[in-house]
Amino acid sequence: MITLVLKDLLLQKKILTTMFIYVFIFSFAFRSLGEYQPVAIITGVSYMLVMFAGAWEDKNNADRLWNSLPVSKWQIVGSKYLSVLAYVALASAATWITMTVLSLVNVSVAMGAVSLVSIAAGAVSVLLLSSFYLPIYFALGYIKSRYLNFVIYFAFLFLANALSGLVGRLSAVPFLANAGSAVLLGLGVGSMALVIAVSFVLSLRLYTRREF
Amino acid sequence: MGPVLELKNVTKRFAGFTLDRVSFSLEPGYIMGFIGANGAGKTTTIKLIMNLLRLDEGEIRVLGLDSRRQEQEIKQRIGFVYDESYFYETLTMAEMTRIIAPFYKNWDGEAYAKYVDLFALPARKKLADFSKGMKMKYALAVALSHKAELLIMDEPTSGLDPLVRSEFLDILRDVIQDERCSVLLSSHITSDLDQIADYVTMINGGRIAFSKSKEELLEEYVLIRGERALLNTAVRDHILGLKESKFGFEGLVTNKAEVERLAQGRAVFERPNLEEIMLHFVKGGVQ
């Protein structure tokens, strides 16, 4: 599976320069977000890399190749979820480098620092976004899923909004109000793991049904 | 040892086309040509063997293993070359190989290097810059570098110019003799198979028309040509895939002695090649 992740990274090398340009553009576009600016950049760039990876696969009709090689479908599907983390690492590094260079040349765009917290928040956002996108990608392939992308964006924003309201109300629940940060972190990570697990199982089932 | 490939009543239904109870088998160490017109069902059959499509009915056994339940074990032991390259065009050949090789337990780096050298393939060149012939040779090098016992090839020579096609077939023939693996080679270019096939299976309209050794096939079918008037006699009843023109007719017969007697010297009999057999089967609507 690691080989498949490395393959995804190798395919992205062609757009490394483009990635820095996107970080540069996003750093201006997301200035109004203040301290959340790096999170938004990391999320945006990472999700673009997810999209680009899908486009490469489709362009080369790679599903036919991978399903002819001794590679199981769960490896093919699982590697796409793992690759998301690799993209977050790439996007975070690109964001940090761009922000640092811009500050060195006195271009003031950095509204927040690229910290471990912003990287983690970016990772959570992209993993959630990808958990919505990947089952559709594995069911339909890149070209058809591309048309549903804006639906995914809006569904994600709607859900994020609904969840933030829910979290506000949940804080009134005595157990959660009295819970320590470790418990809350555990609940957060657990919920996240559940979403990814459900998404993975769904992706695998849908991909298994596909014909090439 | 049993057949390396065995299809029993394999059926796959699409809107407007059905692969209908396809059955044939390939014994170890032989090359089987899989012929048929475009759209006859060759690629569908190969996709079913490779598990790229789901079977509706029937059974496929590869190297004695069930194609669905033991898919990974099978794919470790077979090689494939398709009608077009499915490698990532933005990568170099060396990068592509680094990605593929780890998946094969029996990957033989020395064998791979030998074939790359033999086929004169440039390792550092991007696959996008490879000609179609080079891509096919690369696919063959990958297919032969993990000790494959069976090669599945779907129209590997289509789109190649005659020189490259001939070179590709020469390489294939030499390599197969050395490596002693079996081959299922689908092609609508029957002259390729005239050169290298031991067995020929023909599919027509989703059904198997015949599956025989090439020698048996060329012995069994005889090409008959004659004047149209001859078709008013009992000769007509013996002709398969009859093609008429204003000058005469052409077709295939299986019982030469009987037809020769009926024709009373007014027909010419010739040994057909695979293309003529295929044409008469297809144009004559024989199934």
Side-chain angles (χ1 to χ4, degrees), chain A residues 3-4 7 11 13-14 57 60-62 64-72 208-209 211-212, chain B residues 12 47 50 52-54 72 75-76 80 82-83 86-90 95-96 99 103-104 154:
Chain A
T3 309
L4 290 172
K7 174 265 297 175
L11 289 173
K13 71 176 180 182
K14 198 184 169 190
E57 302 291 3
N60 294 286
N61 213 343
R64 207 172 159 197
L65 171 72
W66 293 113
N67 285 281
S68 299
L69 287 166
V71 183
S72 61
T208 306
R209 283 186 199 170
E211 298 191 314
F212 308 98
Chain B
K12 176 73 183 172
K47 281 184 173 183
M50 294 301 291
L52 297 171
L53 294 176
R54 287 192 307 277
Q72 296 307 309
K75 286 179 177 171
Q76 284 290 348
F80 60 91
Y82 294 146
D83 54 342
Y86 293 98
F87 300 121
Y88 297 98
E89 303 249 301
T90 49
E95 287 171 336
M96 192 70 232
I99 290 171
F103 291 105
Y104 286 110
D154 186 15

Side-chain angles (χ1 to χ4, degrees), chain B residues 44-101:
Chain B
T44 301
T45 306
I46 284 181
K47 281 184 173 183
L48 285 164
I49 294 169
M50 294 301 291
N51 242 344
L52 297 171
L53 294 176
R54 287 192 307 277
L55 270 176
D56 287 337
E57 287 162 34
E59 185 188 1
I60 299 176
R61 295 192 80 79
V62 183
L63 303 166
L65 305 168
D66 184 275
S67 72
R68 282 176 289 184
R69 282 194 288 273
Q70 291 157 299
E71 182 181 2
Q72 296 307 309
E73 197 181 334
I74 290 170
K75 286 179 177 171
Q76 284 290 348
R77 295 166 59 192
I78 64 172
F80 60 91
V81 180
Y82 294 146
D83 54 342
E84 49 186 289
S85 165
Y86 293 98
F87 300 121
Y88 297 98
E89 303 249 301
T90 49
L91 302 182
T92 65
M93 193 184 87
E95 287 171 336
M96 192 70 232
T97 306
R98 270 206 300 277
I99 290 171
I100 291 176

Side-chain angles (χ1 to χ4, degrees), chain B:
Chain B
M1 189 180 173
V4 286
L5 178 64
E6 193 173 18
L7 283 80
K8 284 184 193 165
N9 295 316
V10 168
T11 300
K12 176 73 183 172
R13 296 181 191 89
F14 298 98
F17 177 76
T18 299
L19 194 76
D20 193 8
R21 288 164 289 156
V22 164
S23 301
F24 64 88
S25 62
L26 171 62
E27 295 300 319
Y30 291 105
I31 300 178
M32 176 179 277
F34 190 38
I35 63 172
N38 287 329
K42 300 189 297 294
T43 297
T44 301
T45 306
I46 284 181
K47 281 184 173 183
L48 285 164
I49 294 169
M50 294 301 291
N51 242 344
L52 297 171
L53 294 176
R54 287 192 307 277
L55 270 176
D56 287 337
E57 287 162 34
E59 185 188 1
I60 299 176
R61 295 192 80 79
V62 183
L63 303 166
L65 305 168
D66 184 275
S67 72
R68 282 176 289 184
R69 282 194 288 273
Q70 291 157 299
E71 182 181 2
Q72 296 307 309
E73 197 181 334
I74 290 170
K75 286 179 177 171
Q76 284 290 348
R77 295 166 59 192
I78 64 172
F80 60 91
V81 180
Y82 294 146
D83 54 342
E84 49 186 289
S85 165
Y86 293 98
F87 300 121
Y88 297 98
E89 303 249 301
T90 49
L91 302 182
T92 65
M93 193 184 87
E95 287 171 336
M96 192 70 232
T97 306
R98 270 206 300 277
I99 290 171
I100 291 176
F103 291 105
Y104 286 110
K105 289 176 190 162
N106 289 328
W107 183 262
D108 183 345
E110 278 182 26
Y112 172 74
K114 183 185 85 179
Y115 289 121
V116 165
D117 194 40
L118 180 71
F119 302 162
L121 294 170
R124 309 247 165 255
K125 201 170 181 177
K126 275 189 182 177
L127 290 159
D129 298 326
F130 273 36
S131 65
K132 172 136 197 208
M134 285 160 82
K135 284 177 188 169
M136 288 299 132
K137 285 179 195 169
Y138 173 56
L140 186 59
V142 171
L144 293 169
S145 298
H146 59 275
K147 301 182 171 65
E149 295 159 60
L150 171 66
L151 288 185
I152 308 276
M153 308 178 103
D154 186 15
E155 308 263 9
T157 55
S158 76
L160 299 181
D161 68 56
L163 272 178
V164 178
R165 218 172 74 217
S166 168
E167 189 193 3
F168 183 86
L169 290 170
D170 286 344
I171 290 170
L172 187 61
R173 187 170 36 212
D174 293 347
V175 161
I176 301 306
Q177 274 169 2
D178 290 349
E179 305 293 338
R180 298 180 184 283
C181 72
S182 315
V183 182
L184 176 72
L185 172 60
S186 102
S187 181
H188 62 270
I189 308 168
T190 48
S191 56
D192 292 350
L193 303 171
D194 274 324
Q195 295 176 46
I196 61 168
D198 303 302
Y199 286 86
V200 179
T201 296
M202 181 176 164
I203 188 163
N204 191 20
R207 288 182 177 178
I208 294 297
F210 55 76
S211 185
K212 295 167 190 247
S213 79
K214 191 171 72 186
E215 290 316 310
E216 195 184 345
L217 188 68
L218 296 178
E219 298 248 323
E220 184 176 342
Y221 293 101
V222 179
L223 194 68
I224 178 173
R225 287 195 184 98
E227 56 192 56
R228 283 177 67 111
L230 203 54
L231 293 175
N232 298 326
T233 69
V235 168
R236 188 183 193 111
D237 303 335
H238 294 271
I239 298 174
L240 298 170
L242 177 66
K243 277 200 318 183
E244 290 181 68
S245 70
K246 57 183 176 182
F247 304 109
F249 73 91
E250 190 182 286
L252 292 174
V253 292
T254 50
N255 44 352
K256 186 188 167 194
E258 171 68 4
V259 179
E260 213 165 18
R261 188 184 63 78
L262 290 169
Q264 296 174 333
R266 289 188 292 157
V268 177
F269 295 89
E270 287 172 17
R271 186 181 160 98
N273 57 31
L274 284 178
E275 185 168 330
E276 284 161 335
I277 292 176
M278 187 174 97
L279 278 175
H280 283 285
F281 265 80
V282 175
K283 292 205 170 176
V286 181
Q287 288 200 337

Side-chain angles (χ1 to χ4, degrees), chain A residues 92-172:
Chain A
S92 302
T95 307
W96 182 80
I97 292 167
T98 309
M99 294 295 201
T100 306
V101 170
L102 286 176
S103 69
L104 285 175
V105 294
N106 287 327
V107 177
S108 174
V109 286
M111 306 305 289
V114 181
S115 60
L116 279 178
V117 175
S118 57
I119 293 171
V124 168
S125 306
V126 186
L127 280 168
L128 280 176
L129 205 48
S130 302
S131 296
F132 280 91
Y133 171 68
L134 288 175
I136 297 169
Y137 166 75
F138 281 113
L140 304 173
Y142 172 74
I143 297 288
K144 288 180 188 163
S145 67
R146 198 175 52 168
Y147 298 113
L148 290 171
N149 230 341
F150 76 99
V151 178
I152 297 165
Y153 267 122
F154 284 112
F156 179 74
L157 290 175
F158 172 78
L159 212 72
N161 197 30
L163 276 175
S164 66
L166 186 69
V167 168
R169 265 178 281 157
L170 282 176
S171 60

